[in-house]
Amino acid sequence: MDFYSFLIQLLNGLQYGLLLFLVASGLTLVFGIMGIINLAHGSFYMVGAYLAFSLAALTGNLLTAVLLGVTLSVLLGMLLEWLFYRHLYARDHLYQVLMTYGLILVFEELRSILWGDDVHGVAVPVFLSGSIPLTDNLSYPVYRLAISGICLLLAGGLYWLIRKTRLGMMIRAGAANREMAQALGINIEWLYTVVFALGLTLAAFAGMIAAPVSSVYPNMGGEVIIISFVVVVIGGIGSVWGALLAAILIGMSDTFGKVLLPEYAGMTTYLLMALVLLWRPEGLFRRT
Amino acid sequence: MAEPLLQATGLHTYYGASHILHGVDFRIGSGEAIGLMGRNGMGKTTLIRSLLGHVQPRRGAVRWRGADITQAAAHRIARLGVAYVPEGRGIFPNLTVKENLIMAARAGLDGRCEWTLERILQTFPRLAERLSHGGGQLSGGEQQMLTIGRALMTNPELLILDEATEGLAPLIARDIWQIIRSIRGCGIATVIVDKNYGALLELVDRCVVMVKGRVVFDDDAARLSDEIVQKYLGV
Ligand SMILES: Nc1ncnc2c1ncn2[C@@H]1O[C@H](COP(=O)(O)OP(=O)(O)O)[C@@H](O)[C@H]1O
Ligand SMILES: [Mg+2]
């Protein structure tokens, strides 16, 4: 493999990994803070992609579609938390798995009723539609670079939110000792609603910006949820920074696995998981 | 008599099927200091948790300045101006010392802001030296100072200290008593639970003694006779 082909694979791996991080960060945050195993988290990614598809068709512009889609996602997150998820906090993981698996089926059925079972494409916004030439016959699409850039910005924003803001301190405090946080005047129920809506919106946003490169199709959430759980487990359950590192590792191993070991491509991710867990059974990092 | 700050009447609290509080009456006025006494397992902590909304009493009522707060959520009661230093501390080990303090900051209810980070750090110089340490890295005494400092950051009208000196070395416990005494000087109402009856009685206006979920004595600290101490509190 020459340098430019390598560079392209490296950028692809990074972009895939960072996108995975957006999905997995919400999953690990909701688990770390509220203790919920949310199998339906991948459906939020699918909802995002379909929202991008419909809203881009409606507004003629992916940027407007994303802004609208994010607003709708926040509202959907608050609604779902209020209707379903808050009843799971005090319950066993078995109930959580049952209910959130049920939600996957509901989301798939709703998707089938509202959008049908066809595959759809979403156009890249014009100002991001170019390519950067690398050699005479190799170039790299600007849109993929933009995805990586946006994801990095969001990862930085998430770090700032959790580490540097008062809201972040309250979230961490609530995760450590719920009763004490309440005794200091923190409205834990509201905090949980906010965290859940944040996690859902991150996944939906990932679906929106991925739509132009991955296209929009039935059961796209199912693929992403499995790999997201792998990310969460490798990173250390509940650790956002572990998820970032694990997502990039998986992005790389998957991308290079497909190029270098095409016949074993489906296995590289799980091999990586097995190796990391043999070395560190708790995952790479402790809870955030 | 002036309207009490906090008043509970006829509280019956259960943990599951076990009936813990059997019709407890409790009141505290503005600026008053009360020693809540009783042997282990008599229901002192349960009474406090019932007042603060952490456990719902099945019968009875809790009022704050006359308004019914029996059903109110714990965070709402806290925001009325009640701060709590729980048994077994309750610092957030995953937050730094500074974060533990500033996450709790709130102006007092009449808009005054008496306790600031600076003033807390003057009161607890040991915390000032450890601002960026994780809460979990502190010694027991420092953790207790942090919990008290954090409670004061909310600028409370009422401060509840549940076994604040439990398990501390005598010298550290003495520091904590010194701090509680200076807090008393600012006129914050306080409820103090402590096994050191000598230090407690010097500080409080009134004593409430509990036995098996009932109040058996509620009067001026000066009236607490040796006989009562012997009968209800002796080891
Ligand atoms: N979370 C709980 N669940 C069940 N029983 C409890 C719980 N907490 C305390 N108890 C019981 O309630 C009684 C009163 O306890 P507590 O209020 O902690 O007493 P004190 O603070 O006076 O030592 C004890 O018999 C104790 O075993
Ligand atoms: Mg107790």
Side-chain angles (χ1 to χ4, degrees):
Chain A
M1 193 167 22
D2 66 71
F3 173 74
Y4 285 107
S5 312
F6 176 76
L7 183 67
I8 287 173
Q9 297 307 334
L10 198 69
L11 289 172
N12 280 342
L14 188 70
Q15 180 250 300
Y16 174 49
L18 286 169
L19 214 48
L20 264 183
F21 165 70
L22 284 197
V23 183
S25 62
L27 192 62
T28 209
L29 212 54
V30 166
F31 184 84
I33 289 163
M34 286 101 98
I36 296 259
I37 296 182
N38 183 15
L39 295 184
H41 195 70
S43 303
F44 305 156
Y45 175 81
M46 175 186 77
V47 166
Y50 276 88
L51 277 179
F53 164 65
S54 284
L55 293 171
L58 205 68
T59 63
N61 176 340
L62 185 62
L63 208 64
T64 324
V66 166
L67 286 178
L68 274 174
V70 164
T71 313
L72 288 175
S73 303
V74 171
L75 294 176
L76 178 68
M78 296 169 81
L79 183 71
L80 287 179
E81 197 273 345
W82 181 67
L83 273 178
F84 299 111
Y85 285 88
R86 66 173 44 183
H87 307 291
L88 292 176
Y89 298 142
R91 291 190 186 251
D92 214 58
H93 288 323
L94 180 62
Y95 290 93
Q96 302 178 354
V97 167
L98 277 174
M99 199 200 79
T100 58
Y101 182 70
L103 281 178
I104 295 183
L105 303 180
V106 172
F107 275 112
E108 281 300 326
E109 196 57 32
L110 282 175
R111 190 259 318 133
S112 181
I113 293 168
L114 291 173
W115 282 289
D117 297 327
D118 297 332
V119 176
H120 301 283
V122 174
V124 172
V126 177
F127 69 100
L128 293 173
S129 61
S131 283
I132 299 171
L134 297 174
T135 61
D136 292 341
N137 48 14
L138 285 178
S139 65
Y140 199 76
V142 173
Y143 187 72
R144 281 181 183 267
L145 281 182
I147 291 183
S148 294
I150 292 169
C151 290
L152 279 174
L153 276 179
L154 277 174
L158 207 54
Y159 177 85
W160 175 78
L161 177 77
I162 293 176
R163 287 282 139 199
K164 301 291 172 193
T165 67
R166 192 133 179 247
L167 179 65
M169 289 172 207
M170 291 179 180
I171 289 172
R172 283 181 284 141
N177 189 337
R178 190 187 152 104
E179 182 169 315
M180 195 61 235
Q182 287 174 309
L184 290 164
I186 293 173
N187 184 347
I188 288 279
E189 287 189 4
W190 172 243
L191 206 63
Y192 281 10
T193 309
V194 168
V195 171
F196 187 82
L198 174 70
L200 183 149
T201 304
L202 284 167
F205 181 79
M208 291 175 214
I209 60 174
V213 289
S214 74
S215 73
V216 175
Y217 52 95
N219 198 33
M220 60 190 294
E223 291 167 18
V224 98
I225 190 65
I226 292 170
I227 200 80
S228 296
F229 268 111
V230 174
V231 167
V232 168
V233 168
I234 291 183
I237 294 172
S239 165
V240 175
W241 322 122
L244 178 59
L245 188 64
I248 291 174
L249 271 177
I250 286 188
M252 294 299 173
S253 82
D254 183 73
T255 306
F256 283 98
K258 277 181 185 143
V259 179
L260 301 175
L261 303 162
E263 54 282 39
Y264 302 106
M267 285 172 56
T268 47
T269 301
Y270 301 97
L271 203 63
L272 182 73
M273 175 165 84
L275 286 176
V276 170
L277 293 185
L278 278 176
W279 171 49
R280 274 178 177 248
E282 302 279 301
L284 297 174
F285 283 75
R286 298 268 310 274
R287 183 173 295 202
T288 303
Chain B
M1 198 172 62
E3 186 175 60
L5 192 60
L6 184 70
Q7 178 159 37
T9 41
L11 291 187
H12 287 262
T13 299
Y14 294 69
Y15 285 122
S18 38
H19 192 170
I20 309 293
L21 296 188
H22 300 262
V24 171
D25 293 330
F26 181 86
R27 86 198 127 77
I28 180 166
S30 278
E32 198 180 8
I34 291 184
L36 179 56
M37 306 163 82
R39 294 192 189 104
N40 275 338
M42 292 303 165
K44 304 179 296 294
T45 300
T46 305
L47 170 59
I48 292 170
R49 296 185 71 232
S50 307
L51 298 175
L52 294 181
H54 293 305
V55 51
Q56 283 285 329
R58 239 182 249 181
R59 267 186 290 152
V62 183
R63 290 172 196 285
W64 175 264
R65 297 188 192 283
D68 190 351
I69 57 164
T70 320
Q71 308 289 330
H75 73 273
R76 293 218 174 276
I77 297 175
R79 286 185 196 173
L80 292 170
V82 188
Y84 178 33
V85 173
E87 224 174 0
R89 293 166 199 136
I91 51 137
F92 302 117
N94 54 342
L95 269 64
T96 66
V97 169
K98 186 174 180 187
E99 288 174 336
N100 265 281
L101 291 170
I102 59 181
M103 58 84 61
R106 202 153 3 101
L109 287 185
D110 45 12
R112 86 200 129 100
C113 188
E114 292 179 342
W115 289 95
T116 58
L117 185 61
E118 289 74 46
R119 183 150 165 233
I120 299 287
L121 296 181
Q122 274 165 18
T123 312
F124 304 96
R126 298 174 68 134
L127 296 183
E129 295 162 19
R130 289 166 174 69
L131 272 184
S132 59
H133 290 218
Q137 293 168 276
L138 300 184
S139 70
E142 290 163 351
Q143 290 193 5
Q144 200 54 267
M145 291 175 193
L146 181 56
T147 327
I148 296 173
R150 189 181 59 189
L152 292 172
M153 286 294 282
T154 67
N155 281 293
E157 311 263 312
L158 169 61
L159 175 63
I160 300 180
L161 297 154
D162 195 353
E163 313 261 13
T165 64
E166 171 89 28
L168 297 183
L171 279 180
I172 314 252
R174 209 188 56 190
D175 284 354
I176 300 276
W177 279 111
Q178 186 55 45
I179 287 157
I180 296 174
R181 224 166 275 134
S182 71
I183 295 168
R184 276 294 299 134
C186 342
I188 299 176
T190 42
V191 176
I192 308 172
V193 179
D194 208 284
K195 293 272 145 52
N196 184 344
Y197 297 136
L200 186 63
L201 289 173
E202 266 176 44
L203 212 76
V204 299
D205 307 313
R206 190 151 54 84
C207 286
V208 174
V209 178
M210 292 183 71
V211 173
K212 293 188 183 157
R214 290 185 169 84
V215 172
V216 295
F217 177 91
D218 180 352
D219 208 336
D220 286 353
R223 295 229 178 88
L224 189 75
S225 64
D226 287 347
E227 193 188 334
I228 290 169
V229 172
Q230 205 63 41
K231 189 167 166 200
Y232 298 129
L233 303 171
V235 276

